Amino acid sequence: MDQTLPASAPSTRWTRFHGVRRVFRNLVLRGALLELVTFGFYRFWLATDIRRHLWSHTLVDGDPLEYVGRARELLIGFLIATAILMPAYLVYFLIGIEAERVQAFASLPLSLFLYLFAQFAVYRARRYRVTRTVWRGLRFTMTGSGIGYAWRAALWDLAVLLSLGAALPWRQAALERYRMRHTAYGDLQGGFDGTGRELFRRGWHLWLLTVPALLTIIPLPFLIAAWRATMLQWWVSNVRFGEVRFHSYLERRALFGTYWKATGWWVLLGILMGLWVSGIFGLAAALAQPAPDGTPDYAAAFAHPLALGGLGLGYLLMALAAGVVVRIYLTRDIWARIVETTAVYGLEAADHATGQGEAVDAIGEGFAGGLDLNIGGL
Amino acid sequence: MTEASGTDARAIFFDGRSARRRQVTIIIGPVLEIVEEGTPLARWAWDDIRRADGHGRLRLKTLAGSNPLARLEIADPGLARAVETRCPALDHGQGRGRTRQVLGWSAAACVSIVLLALYGIPFAADRITPLVPRSVEARLGEATDRQVRALLGGEACTRPQGQAALGQMVRALIDAGLPPEDDETVIDVVVLSSDVVNAIALPGGRIYVFDGLLQKAETPDELAGVIAHEIGHVHHRDGLRMVIRAGSTSFVIGLLFGDVAGGAAIVTAADAVLNAAYSRDAETAADDFSAAAMTRLGRSPAAFGDLLVRVTGETEGHGTLLDSHPFGADRLARLAAAGTAAAGTATEGPALLSDTDWQALKGICGGSSASGPPAPGPERQRLKNSDKPSGS
């Protein structure tokens, strides 16, 4: 950012987040309940509502982003993906049986294929979201090949594995360069200037701390929060569209609070789940019928449909509550913090951006959903 | 924000082709007219106008315009209200009606999936099972064979005298149980040197009797009842039917819950409950097969029940014959009734095994201990109905 800039002085503008926390909380709580009563079908509408909330309350130089994706598109994408995945899973199952007959673990290469396919889905899902983002009546676009991305991601993951994580910064930089090179706002070409070396310089000590942190658990949320903040700050500060550049003032400790609050909620939910399970087992044991030899038949009581149903309901409620925690603390709060600390330089270049790219279909998101990939709570 | 102040523009227009922010005047008439410095830019019919997401100001889009991303932004609250009241379909396709629609369709999908799981899949599995070639079933059996052996352990017991006694018993049961024209059912009974108190039938005709169960049996009739029960499962191809049902059921229930976190646990639980229900019918049919075979041999069908009661009593229902369906009073009553019906003939038939043969069978794994030396290469007798020794 130190290079001399034209005399016409590229002004500094800011991004702002104007969302009300309570509104978002109500949105995700209501969404979780509707997910429960619709057996999960509501997830397409919830994801869309969450994105619309976050996008529309994010102002760049006073003008909000707009998310123009529709839940219906996600549903159709999911159905198409299911139609493709269904026979694929059947073939997978049959090949698995044949392969295991010859040799145990022979179906491992198939898992590798699924992993590659998951990377493809991740790329295509991002493409869907980017091309559904509009600012000042102009769409963001994204091209590039999901297959090309999948290969890159797989090779980089192999490098990360072999280097015990040391190659992670270079992986992030290379993949982000690929993503941003294929992203544009109108005719403003996207780009990414970050390097792996820079990210490594900022994060190597966090990487060294991983082993002691994994052993003692307690500092883990601090470590994850610091790493996430470092990554996000590095990412935002290196993204550009034509001459439009960004800088993030997010501090490394900025996310400690959100991660600790989320952890606290999860611990509480875990305790509640424990109480629920012991309550159900206690009740089942108390109501157990005597077996032929006179002692209470606990096995039958625990396997009673009502007991199983109760356990299932408890588990589902806890999972939905955990999802709510993720969405409030790790999605919304982190989003708000990044947006609030980001400056924009040279936005004048965007004033005359023109051209409108294609909006891509939601099949990628459908695959990501069908493969059970968590795409950042969004 | 500041750009708008000091001008007489009453709205901001984004034409959807460039990112330029255009100061425009709007004229409220039969249509909404958007004018920039005297030049008309667009005319939006009131019916087509919808609300777009925005922050703090009214943002509008039109469904009919040439560019779906064109946006009109009105900051002045009075003007915004005047425009809003003229748009009859401003919030169409959002809000409560939409949620109700999702709820209704979800409930419908749930009902159809539950009906499918309860009635459709069992029906389809019953129809599909006879269509599956025996060779495919045998392959499925071989694939599960490895897993079963790995999970439950034990080696195939092949002491010759024991083998001979087992062969004699199995042959008698096949003759008595299977209809004469059935030459497709392949039965292959193997005793495994494991303490597990159980017997199982795999798809394809392999039946495993674990030494733990063999040691619990006090008379040949008790063991014969168990083996006949498993032969019944093979004859009805219950293993294959179960694989088809279980696979389809978890897929269908998985569809219902999709990727909701924790869905997998629900699928497993629902599967267990449904399959337990499915298998109850199969158990009854296998019991009937056993009772019929024993009756035809002139032996008591109730001996099978005696063994099961002894086994369930001792192990509190864990790891017993047919885990998923505890041995119930109704099953006992059914077997007892079969015994009563055959009361006159119940002990008329010749004993299935002589005392010497019975002792040899009990020692097929090399003594009472299940941890005897592993038997030499598995050499199993494969019996087909067509191999029946003539005149037996």
Side-chain angles (χ1 to χ4, degrees):
Chain A
M1 294 301 112
D2 290 334
Q3 70 242 58
T4 25
L5 295 154
S8 53
S11 52
T12 305
R13 312 288 178 89
W14 292 88
T15 60
R16 284 281 168 259
F17 188 74
H18 280 233
V20 180
R21 211 159 177 287
R22 185 174 41 79
V23 173
F24 185 82
R25 195 193 62 211
N26 292 342
L27 177 80
V28 290
L29 280 175
R30 178 174 171 276
L33 284 176
L34 284 169
E35 271 195 292
L36 184 70
V37 297
T38 60
F39 309 96
F41 277 129
Y42 195 74
R43 64 185 180 275
F44 308 109
W45 283 265
L46 178 60
T48 303
D49 285 347
I50 289 174
R51 290 175 196 172
R52 282 179 60 186
H53 178 94
L54 294 179
W55 267 242
S56 68
H57 290 98
T58 298
L59 276 58
V60 180
D61 189 28
D63 285 319
L65 297 177
E66 192 183 331
Y67 176 76
V68 294
R70 301 286 306 271
R72 198 172 293 235
E73 293 171 340
L74 293 182
L75 176 63
I76 291 170
F78 169 76
L79 292 177
I80 295 175
T82 308
I84 296 172
L85 284 178
M86 206 160 85
Y89 271 128
L90 185 67
V91 170
Y92 181 81
F93 171 74
L94 292 176
I95 293 178
I97 284 183
E98 283 301 302
E100 293 280 345
R101 235 162 49 90
V102 178
Q103 167 124 37
F105 301 113
S107 51
L108 201 63
L110 296 169
S111 324
L112 282 177
F113 172 76
L114 271 193
Y115 160 80
L116 272 177
F117 193 70
Q119 297 295 338
F120 167 85
V122 163
Y123 191 81
R124 291 294 299 257
R126 182 186 135 115
R127 241 176 103 175
Y128 171 81
R129 292 194 297 279
V130 165
T131 61
R132 291 298 185 288
T133 301
V134 172
W135 184 66
R136 289 187 180 168
L138 208 59
R139 193 191 290 286
F140 285 80
T141 55
M142 187 167 162
T143 56
S145 145
I147 297 170
Y149 179 83
W151 278 115
R152 284 172 171 82
L155 291 176
W156 274 110
D157 277 341
L158 188 66
V160 169
L161 208 65
L162 294 178
S163 67
L164 301 177
L168 189 63
W170 283 272
R171 173 197 189 271
Q172 298 303 110
L175 294 183
E176 200 52 54
R177 266 198 299 279
Y178 185 83
R179 285 192 285 254
M180 285 308 298
R181 195 165 69 227
H182 291 102
T183 306
Y185 172 69
D187 55 2
L188 287 187
Q189 182 58 47
F192 188 74
D193 298 330
T195 61
R197 200 167 63 146
E198 188 191 347
L199 183 59
F200 183 81
R201 190 173 53 73
R202 291 191 207 177
W204 65 272
H205 51 281
L206 296 176
W207 170 59
L208 283 187
L209 283 172
T210 314
V211 174
L214 280 177
L215 293 178
T216 49
I217 306 289
I218 303 286
L220 213 51
F222 281 115
L223 203 64
I224 295 170
W227 172 247
R228 184 109 192 259
T230 305
M231 284 264 289
L232 288 169
Q233 198 275 334
W234 170 79
W235 180 71
V236 170
S237 302
N238 286 296
V239 159
R240 79 187 142 71
F241 286 94
E243 293 306 308
V244 183
R245 288 161 189 283
F246 301 86
H247 185 77
S248 164
Y249 292 92
L250 191 71
E251 294 179 0
R252 182 170 292 153
R253 59 172 190 276
L255 305 183
F256 284 171
T258 56
Y259 270 89
W260 268 113
K261 281 179 213 157
T263 308
W265 276 106
W266 284 329
V267 169
L268 183 66
L269 287 172
I271 293 171
L272 287 176
M273 184 67 190
L275 289 175
W276 177 264
V277 170
S278 20
I280 294 228
F281 277 138
L283 204 62
L287 296 175
Q289 300 292 320
D293 67 344
T295 59
D297 190 350
Y298 292 119
F302 293 155
H304 192 276
L306 274 181
L308 290 178
L311 291 178
L313 182 71
Y315 189 87
L316 201 58
L317 283 174
M318 193 197 65
L320 286 172
V324 168
V325 170
V326 169
R327 284 164 178 151
I328 292 178
Y329 292 99
L330 301 187
T331 301
R332 188 250 174 223
D333 283 0
I334 291 180
W335 178 289
R337 274 187 177 70
I338 299 164
V339 172
E340 286 286 289
T341 53
T342 298
V344 191
Y345 304 100
L347 193 62
E348 298 81 11
D351 283 350
H352 301 288
T354 56
Q356 200 67 265
E358 291 285 300
V360 302
D361 57 56
I363 299 174
E365 283 231 359
F367 282 130
L371 293 169
D372 215 351
L373 302 171
N374 177 10
I375 35 184
L378 281 179
Chain B
M1 301 155 85
T2 46
E3 290 90 327
S5 63
T7 71
D8 60 352
R10 305 175 73 183
I12 306 270
F13 184 60
F14 298 105
D15 59 20
R17 276 182 286 274
S18 82
R20 198 150 64 90
R21 175 195 264 259
R22 309 170 86 153
Q23 314 273 341
V24 293
T25 318
I26 54 174
I27 300 166
I28 296 174
V31 294
L32 177 67
E33 223 174 318
I34 300 164
V35 181
E36 185 186 43
E37 291 169 357
T39 317
L41 291 178
R43 292 160 62 86
W44 287 5
W46 295 111
D47 285 350
D48 296 332
I49 295 177
R50 297 286 182 278
R51 191 193 299 275
D53 289 341
H55 171 69
R57 315 155 220 185
L58 179 65
R59 286 182 117 236
L60 302 173
K61 60 184 173 187
T62 177
L63 298 184
S66 60
N67 198 321
L69 295 183
R71 296 287 183 268
L72 183 70
E73 203 173 89
I74 300 168
D76 177 60
L79 182 62
R81 219 168 304 123
V83 169
E84 272 178 323
T85 54
R86 284 177 171 75
C87 303
L90 190 64
D91 292 308
H92 226 84
Q94 297 164 15
R96 284 191 189 288
R98 190 200 71 179
T99 305
R100 217 172 297 143
Q101 212 178 357
V102 179
L103 278 173
W105 280 112
S106 305
C110 173
V111 168
S112 69
I113 283 178
V114 166
L115 288 179
L116 194 64
L118 282 181
Y119 303 106
I121 289 177
F123 181 82
D126 286 347
R127 292 297 172 283
I128 292 169
T129 304
L131 302 180
V132 176
R134 292 276 174 175
S135 58
V136 172
E137 187 179 348
R139 290 200 160 194
L140 191 68
E142 283 177 53
T144 39
D145 189 44
R146 284 162 192 271
Q147 292 179 19
V148 168
R149 294 281 290 274
L151 280 175
L152 299 173
E155 296 287 333
C157 299
T158 53
R159 290 207 151 192
Q161 289 93 341
Q163 286 260 84
L166 181 63
Q168 189 188 331
M169 178 185 273
V170 171
R171 213 168 294 127
L173 290 169
I174 288 175
D175 288 348
L178 296 182
E181 68 278 7
D182 178 2
D183 52 18
E184 287 206 295
T185 305
V186 176
I187 305 290
D188 175 14
V189 183
V190 176
V191 178
L192 285 183
S193 65
S194 160
D195 287 335
V196 175
V197 184
N198 210 341
I200 52 172
L202 301 183
R206 169 78 46 88
I207 293 170
Y208 283 130
V209 176
F210 296 93
D211 196 34
L213 182 71
L214 178 59
Q215 297 313 321
K216 288 275 194 298
E218 287 175 1
T219 67
D221 287 356
E222 291 182 356
L223 184 68
V226 171
I227 295 178
H229 174 95
E230 299 302 333
I231 294 177
H233 278 312
V234 174
H235 176 59
H236 299 133
R237 306 180 82 179
D238 287 329
L240 176 64
R241 188 176 289 118
M242 188 65 85
V243 168
I244 296 174
R245 271 176 184 170
S248 329
T249 310
S250 37
F251 180 78
V252 162
I253 299 174
L255 260 188
L256 189 60
F257 285 96
D259 58 354
V260 172
I266 303 295
V267 174
T268 315
D271 240 18
V273 172
L274 277 175
N275 283 329
Y278 291 151
S279 56
R280 239 165 268 138
D281 291 342
E283 291 314 313
T284 310
D287 285 352
D288 289 350
F289 185 96
S290 172
M294 294 300 281
T295 308
R296 207 160 303 143
L297 289 170
R299 309 304 301 175
S300 165
F304 171 42
D306 296 342
L307 172 61
L308 290 192
V309 168
R310 193 175 322 125
V311 161
T312 25
E314 281 175 25
T315 57
E316 290 186 346
H318 285 290
T320 60
L321 216 81
L322 320 160
D323 294 327
S324 47
H325 5 273
F327 192 59
D330 46 342
R331 273 181 78 186
L332 264 183
R334 210 177 158 81
L335 288 169
T340 320
T345 55
T347 48
E348 273 178 11
L352 289 176
L353 292 179
S354 68
D355 280 351
T356 332
D357 284 345
W358 175 235
Q359 288 315 316
L361 178 52
K362 290 270 267 191
I364 191 171
C365 290
S368 56
S369 132
S371 55
E379 177 201 319
R380 294 156 209 157
Q381 87 267 26
R382 190 170 281 271
L383 292 171
K384 274 185 127 182
N385 234 33
S386 46
D387 298 341
K388 278 183 217 172
S390 55
S392 69

